[in-house]
Amino acid sequence: MPTIVLPPSERAPGLARRFVGEQFRGWGIADDADALVIVSELVTNALRHGHGPIVVRLLRDERDGRPVIEVWDDGDGHPEVQPEDHAATSGRGLLMVSLLAAAWGTRPLLENGKATWAKC
């Protein structure tokens, strides 16, 4: 299962996009635009609201072959789509993820923290 561990730095979203793009090309998936937005938003949330290293893992759903992006962090909070606020300068990331992904959600990790996932 392709996995990358990223330091909690401002470079993390860009490194995650590069990782996902390379893996999609390796899988023969030409259209990675939605996946790049999704991983960028999930990693940015992990960076802002989590703690410690950020783990990005990719897998293929065995039922339909669609790629799934997982982002792990040590944060306690649970991501929630925020109500639409046209005056807000942030807080739209999970709304975008919910609109772009076929499905998404979170699950707790045994070793602390959570995994936020999105099926492309």
Side-chain angles (χ1 to χ4, degrees):
M1 206 167 306
T3 304
I4 188 171
V5 179
L6 303 170
S9 76
E10 295 300 319
R11 295 185 59 224
L15 295 170
R17 285 190 300 273
R18 187 174 314 127
F19 171 72
V20 168
E22 289 171 0
Q23 185 60 47
F24 272 45
R25 281 189 295 282
W27 284 341
I29 300 171
D31 184 3
D32 63 1
D34 289 350
L36 297 180
V37 172
I38 288 168
V39 76
S40 187
E41 293 300 331
L42 296 182
V43 169
T44 298
N45 277 355
L47 181 63
R48 289 187 179 157
H49 306 290
H51 309 286
I54 300 165
V55 177
V56 178
R57 186 169 81 155
L58 299 173
L59 56 133
R60 301 290 289 264
D61 187 311
E62 293 175 3
R63 294 167 292 198
D64 60 16
R66 288 181 181 228
V68 177
I69 300 168
E70 289 188 344
V71 176
W72 301 5
D73 68 70
D74 288 341
D76 293 330
H78 295 284
E80 294 180 8
V81 174
Q82 298 300 310
E84 194 169 345
D85 179 355
H86 297 286
T89 59
S90 65
R92 294 182 182 90
L94 284 178
L95 177 59
M96 285 194 304
V97 169
S98 72
L99 295 172
L100 294 174
W104 77 280
T106 62
R107 62 180 172 77
L109 298 173
L110 294 175
E111 57 275 351
N112 293 324
K114 66 187 166 301
T116 305
W117 59 270
K119 183 189 283 193
C120 299

